[in-house]
Amino acid sequence: MYKLSILNSARLIRGGIMSSRSVSTLTYIELDRNGQITSSALSSLAASRKLGDSIDALILGANAMKAASDLISSGNTNNLEKIIVAESPIYDHTLPEYISPLICELMKGSKYSSFVMASTEIGKNVLPRIGALMNTQPICDITMIHNKDTFERPIYAGNVLATIKKDGGKKLITIRASSFPPVVEGTPERIPIEKYSYTPEKDVGIRWDAENLVTNKRPDLASAKIVVSGGRALKDKKTFDGLLGSLADVLHAGIGSTRAAVDSGLCDNSLQVGQTGKIVAPDLYFAIGLSGAIQHLAGMKNSKVIVAINNDADAPIFQIADYSLEGDLFEVVPELTKKLKLMEKN
Ligand SMILES: Cc1cc2nc3c(=O)[nH]c(=O)nc-3n(C[C@H](O)[C@H](O)[C@H](O)COP(=O)(O)OP(=O)(O)OC[C@H]3O[C@@H](n4cnc5c(N)ncnc54)[C@H](O)[C@@H]3O)c2cc1C
């Protein structure tokens, strides 16, 4: 069904035998649509290091080999024993029906005590299936690692922090990327790359057809350092794009929204921040014309600095904002954008 072959046996050449400790962590390295390593993958590596075991990285897709070389040359390889690549275009669309059995096969009966990936759309799609295949309860969306058996994760829209302990058995973990700063680049090391070949079942009951993506040139919402978010008060799509877009451009920010803004057709649902949207923790978060519902706060309350603009002095968002600006957004936002543009010029 599967086989491992060593492509770059740097450690074999140097050390005679390849060192491998008795337990280790398998970490999924997520690639973006262009085959580049995502920042959430580097957060997964950072979290894996906290488990204290050696780490093997897993990269899937047609560009897996190139991504493995990129990872090595970036120097983000501290604690890494090896990189396993499964180089096939069938993994490019990250269909969980293909990925889950492969990871399950790698985990079963192996030295791996833990599997770690980020709690992204892919992670949320894949990990429960691996859990079902391995008959193991996943530990999802963790924000802190106390030790290799004990983890913390927010529940009830972030109002309660649950401490979860799992003794023994294999651990299947997703991490909240915003809680684990990505590993920083270091000196490139020689890390072995192993090719993994796995033959999926012929008919997994699903096939990739097409995708219709809403793209923009702004920083990705999930990893942007500054996020400008708008709510229902922005009225319509033209106003949302015009007012928030201009402010985001001058700040080089990503754009977010509330669910009410999405439901009212103001913007695409990929912009939704919150319990049922993206979880972000940028350095600076602008909350504009949004009330601060608990489900929205669940996705942004860990932002370092929160600026709220609202014309209602009692809006709940003011309770968590570092800077509160009570006023009409249709006056305040153009004024702010104008001043920032002037500052940028000078
Ligand atoms: C199960 C569940 C999951 C949910 N998940 C999410 C989620 O992931 N993300 C999310 O965001 N929501 C989510 N919601 C919806 C959430 O409960 C709120 O309904 C939503 O966040 C409200 O969006 P809003 O703040 O844009 O709208 P509103 O609550 O209507 O707030 C609009 C705000 O704009 C202000 N305003 C109006 N005019 C102006 C003006 N001219 N200038 C300045 N301010 C002005 C008002 O004072 C008000 O505070 C979820 C709800 C449920 C039940």
Side-chain angles (χ1 to χ4, degrees), residues 76 135 256 301:
N76 286 321
N135 201 18
K301 68 180 174 197

Side-chain angles (χ1 to χ4, degrees), residues 79-98:
N79 277 24
L80 224 59
E81 284 276 312
K82 65 176 178 245
I83 303 174
I84 300 171
V85 297
E87 206 178 18
S88 164
I90 63 164
Y91 304 118
D92 279 352
H93 304 297
T94 58
L95 290 178
E97 287 78 2
Y98 286 109

Side-chain angles (χ1 to χ4, degrees), residues 231-232 258-259 272-276 289 291 295-296 310 328-329:
R232 200 195 321 250
T258 62
R259 178 156 136 184
Q272 185 179 318
V273 171
Q275 187 185 337
T276 45
S291 57
Q295 295 89 353
H296 186 76
N310 200 300
D328 184 346
L329 74 88

